[in-house]
Structures are given as structure tokens and as C-alpha cells.
Amino acid sequence: MKKLKGIMLIDDDDTNNFLNQRLLNRMQITEKIKEFRNGKQAFDFLYNISAGHYEVTSPEYFKPALILLDINMPVMNGFEFLSLFEKLDADFRKDIVLALLSTSEHSQDTERAAASKIAYITKPLTTQKVQDLLDAHFQNQEA
Amino acid sequence: MGEFLIVTAYVLVAGFLFYLAFRREDRERKWVMALFGMIALMGGAVHGLNFWNYGAGGETFHILRLVFGAVALVGAFLLFRAITGLMAIPGLRQLQKANEELQEQLKERENAQLELREAHQALEDRVQRSSAQAITANRELERQIENRKRAEKQLISKNYELIKKNADLDDFVYYASRDLKGPVLNVAGLVEAIREELPPGNPEFAQLFDRLDDSVSSIHRKLNNLAEVSRIQKPVEDAQMSMVSFDHVLQQVKENLATVIQAAQAHLQADFSAAPAVYFSRDNLYSLLLNLISNSIKYREPQRPLLISLSTSLQDQYLVLKVQDNGIGIDLEQYGQHLFSLFRRFHDHVEGSGVGLYIIKRVMDNNRGKVEVESVPGEGTTFLLYFVNHDQETGPRI
């Protein structure tokens, strides 16, 4: 399987980011993983990339193929991030897969995710869950 | 000369009588006096004629005397006629007597009037007294009403506070269970990571990890129970209500509990023909059946195969779901009143959280239903769930 261009982990829980990054690293599905502590940090990053405001040569800047998004976060939560993300250029967004990653099994949250047509994964993230997601969204990209 | 004196006397008497007649006020006497006066006058006139023409005869003279005499006679006759009237006129004594009687009557009347006035006064006093009492009573009543109003207001505000506190508590439980989930999952993840990093084959580590896993999953289960409880506290929205088939939900529960049902070798039999569906929230009916059946499995009698029978029936305004098992039963006299309390457990030989029956009770209460339980220790337990029978939504039954 071809490796993903990059993954963004957006979660205010440091340890959760650490564990997810460890899991993804061990699965060896990408070279680039970047962590963000809330929706605003992540959106600023994405916005700069979409607008071309970045150093092309810098390994710190990359356009992600997958974004794993927590719901409850300070400053800007997952759904607020989502509504801003949907305002970005459609061409820019079309090859980015978004998945909500949350402890909440509340129907209010799952219904909202379904309304936005994005994947909803309950924590903890496991190899199996990541694999299911990849199978669902990245099958076609295999070279 | 004699004649002259008599005439004078007659005329004087007549004058007196006429004067009297003129002065008298009662008609009877006026009339009588006038008649006497007339007769006296006539007498006087005859004597006057005699005196005037003493010894002289003549036609005119005789005729005048005759006329006077006739007039006197007529007066006498009239007097006779008036006698009866005169008899009716009371004498002085009679008058005095009548007067006395009248006086007495007057006195009596005065007395009566006095008594009347006294009675009236007494009555008025009484009226005043009683109206004063009424006013006092009225004031007392007003004060009581005021007190009651105040108490009612306090009650309402207390009730409002309670509702708010309850809602806060529900929120607290919900957010606590949600926010604690993350760290617990992290611990589980970290434990797993450590296990992966450590070289395998150390029995000491293996035992420690087993215990760690148990503890973490126990915390996780408890948090899930709390989340479930807080979810159940919230009233169900109308949109979630629909006709739900008992069979479908039971099937779902059986699938979810497949491994435990298998392990316990439980036999389930169901007959929902009397009422195949109920107007309810699907999630809540699922929760009810799941808790009832897993309870029956948990508290089964190991000496005999477990049999759980489910059935529905219609009773008055209720649709009744009956879930009966042949498990170990429960002593209702001892535990009955705490049976549905949160976090109360009556057995420690099996794993449990103490929320199952609480959830059942809450769900039924929230939907204006009720729960009844019958049990004979050593023989089994029967749960009766009374659902409000929404006939209009039920439509025709098969």
C-alpha cells in the first residue's frame, strides 16, 4: 500500500496524541504526522497551506491526506473546525479525508458526523480501526 | 212683671244653650244644645208674647203662639230622636275609665315599645358582636391564606431549585463520565504500550498486567454505566417514539448477549401475540430487555437449566410485559424497598454495577408506566412492566 502524504492529529489530550502517533508510526502508513492541540491551530496550518503561505522545502509543512479530529477541545472544538474547513477551497479539500475521533457515543455527536458525511471513530484508536478507515477511503489511491 | 222675668230667663238660657252649642265640638251635643236652646227660645217667645200683649187677644197673636208651640214641639220630638245618640255619649266616669284604660294601654304599649327597643338593641349588639367576630375570623383567614401563599411560593422555588439541582447532577454525571473516559483510555493505551515495549516471557509482569487490565476495564465499565444512567435521566424526545416490535428488540438483545446466553445455556421463549408492539423509544425498550435478560442470566440457579419466558398482555389502560425466570429469586421482604435504588446490590457472587434495575424503573417512570416484581427465593423472579397503552397510535392489531 502506498504511504499517505501526511496525517494531522487534532486533540487537546497530549497522551492521546502520543499514543495515536505511536500506533500510526508502528503501522508505517506515513512519514509525516503532525499534532495540534485545538481546532484553531490546525485550521491556521491548513489555511496557510491552501493559500500557499509556506516554505515549500520545509518538512514541517505538508498537505495531509488524513485528519483525525477530536470533538471536545478548548478554543475551537471539532465541529467548529469542521464548519471552517468546509469553507476552504473545494479543490484543496477533495483529497483530504476527515474522521472524527471521540470518546462520546452520544447520538447528538454521531448524528452530526453523519450529517457532514464524515467517519466517526470511538476512542481508543486501534490498528483495526485505522485499517478499516484506510480500506474505505484510500483503496483507489493504491498505485 | 213676672212674665218679663221669665222671658228674660228663657232668653238667657237659650243664649247660654246656643253659645254652648256653638262652642261644643262634637256634633251630637251641639245638636242637642241647639234643640234645647230652640225650645227655651220658643218658651221665651210665648212668654214674651204674653208679656207684650197681656190680656189682648187677636188672630195673629194666637197663630204666633201656635207656631212657637209647634216649633218647640218639633224640637222636643227631635230631642227624643236624639236620645239614642245621647245615650251613646259616655258619661264622665265612663270617660275617665276609658281614659284610664287608654292610659294603661298606652303604658303597656310604651312598655312593649321599650321591650322592643331593648330587644332590638340586643339584636343589634349581637349583630355587631358577630360581625366583629366575622371580621376577626376573616382577618385570620386572610392571614392564613397569606401564609399559605408564602409557603406555596417557597415550595415552588424549592421545587425549581430541586429540578435545577437534579439537572445539574445529571449534567455532572454525564460530563464526569465523558471527561474521565479519555484519561482511562489513555491509561489502557499506555499499559498496552508498556506491554509491547517489555520483553515477553516474564510471568511476574504477566500477572501484573492482568490485574491492571482488570482494573482499567472495571473503571471503564463503571463509567459507561454512569453515562447510561445519565442518558436515561433525560426525558425522551417525541421524535424518538415509534411503534417498536418486541420481537425485533428481543432479537437485537439476543445477538448482543449471544456469548453469555450461550455460556449460561439459557433458554428463552417469547410470546408477544397479545401485544406485538408498543409505542416507545426503541433505545429504551432495548435497554429494558437487555437489563432484564442479563439480570436473569446473572442470577440464575446453577442447579437447573435457565428458562426465561417473555410475554405481553393487555390490562385496562396498560400493556404489560412479563419477564419470568426460574433463577435464585430475591427476598422481597428484606430487599424489596431498595430493589430499584441506584448502586444497590444484593448479591456479590456475580459481577454487577447496581444500575440495571434503577434504569428499568427510571425508564418506566419517565414514560408514565410502572414496574412490579414478584419473587420466591429459590424458585424465580417475575418482572411486570406496565406500559401506557397508546391505542390511537397502535392502529389495528393483528
Side-chain angles (χ1 to χ4, degrees), chain B residues 113-130:
Chain B
Q113 215 159 24
L114 207 70
E115 273 171 34
L116 212 74
R117 206 174 292 146
E118 273 170 13
H120 182 75
Q121 190 62 42
L123 208 73
E124 216 156 64
D125 283 355
R126 239 160 66 185
V127 167
Q128 236 157 26
R129 240 194 334 269
S130 57

Side-chain angles (χ1 to χ4, degrees), chain A residues 19-64:
Chain A
L19 286 168
N20 290 345
Q21 180 155 13
R22 182 174 178 275
L23 180 99
L24 295 168
N25 280 334
R26 287 165 76 98
M27 286 180 78
Q28 297 186 317
I29 54 171
T30 184
E31 298 296 323
K32 290 170 181 167
I33 299 175
K34 199 166 167 63
E35 294 175 18
F36 300 88
R37 300 295 302 277
N38 61 57
K40 186 165 189 321
Q41 283 183 7
F43 183 76
D44 288 346
F45 175 84
L46 269 182
Y47 180 78
N48 282 334
I49 290 183
S50 74
H53 299 157
Y54 68 104
E55 200 73 40
V56 186
T57 50
S58 165
E60 283 296 303
Y61 284 90
F62 61 88
K63 184 181 170 184

Side-chain angles (χ1 to χ4, degrees), chain B residues 82-147:
Chain B
I83 278 177
T84 39
L86 276 178
M87 292 291 280
I89 294 169
L92 196 58
R93 199 174 291 163
Q94 260 179 308
L95 273 175
Q96 266 178 346
K97 215 178 143 197
N99 200 19
E100 273 168 25
E101 274 171 20
L102 265 172
Q103 294 261 2
E104 213 146 293
Q105 279 178 6
L106 204 70
K107 217 178 245 172
E108 271 172 28
R109 210 169 284 177
E110 265 173 15
N111 280 344
Q113 215 159 24
L114 207 70
E115 273 171 34
L116 212 74
R117 206 174 292 146
E118 273 170 13
H120 182 75
Q121 190 62 42
L123 208 73
E124 216 156 64
D125 283 355
R126 239 160 66 185
V127 167
Q128 236 157 26
R129 240 194 334 269
S130 57
S131 71
Q133 279 174 348
I135 287 169
T136 335
N138 203 21
R139 276 205 197 119
E140 180 64 25
L141 230 105
E142 270 170 14
R143 206 164 35 239
Q144 280 182 6
I145 287 171
E146 205 55 46
N147 282 344

Side-chain angles (χ1 to χ4, degrees), chain B residues 253-291:
Chain B
V253 172
K254 273 182 177 170
E255 281 163 24
N256 203 326
L257 292 177
T259 45
V260 267
I261 289 176
Q262 181 97 45
Q265 292 193 312
H267 180 66
L268 272 79
Q269 61 182 40
D271 175 12
F272 302 127
S273 54
V278 65
Y279 189 74
F280 216 67
S281 142
R282 191 184 180 85
D283 282 357
N284 280 348
L285 188 62
Y286 174 82
S287 196
L288 291 175
L289 284 179
L290 181 83
N291 279 299

Side-chain angles (χ1 to χ4, degrees), chain A residues 13 16 22 72 103 106, chain B residues 174 178 181 186 193 196-197:
Chain A
D13 186 332
N16 196 250
R22 182 174 178 275
N72 294 300
T103 53
H106 204 279
Chain B
Y174 172 72
R178 189 197 68 184
K181 240 186 209 173
N186 284 345
E196 283 166 5
E197 299 293 337

Side-chain angles (χ1 to χ4, degrees), chain B residues 25 37 45 59 142 149 185 261 304 336 362 366:
Chain B
E25 286 182 358
E59 273 303 295
E142 270 170 14
K149 271 189 191 159
L185 291 174
I261 289 176
R304 54 179 176 252
R362 272 307 287 248
N366 285 350

Side-chain angles (χ1 to χ4, degrees), chain B residues 332-346:
Chain B
L332 289 175
E333 261 178 47
Q334 195 177 350
Y335 302 116
Q337 65 184 117
H338 300 299
L339 198 60
F340 295 105
S341 303
L342 188 56
F343 301 130
R344 287 298 296 255
R345 301 209 54 226
F346 312 104

Side-chain angles (χ1 to χ4, degrees), chain A residues 127-140:
Chain A
T127 318
Q128 187 58 51
K129 287 175 187 171
V130 175
Q131 197 56 55
D132 289 347
L133 192 69
L134 293 178
D135 291 348
H137 293 94
F138 295 98
Q139 207 76 49
N140 303 336

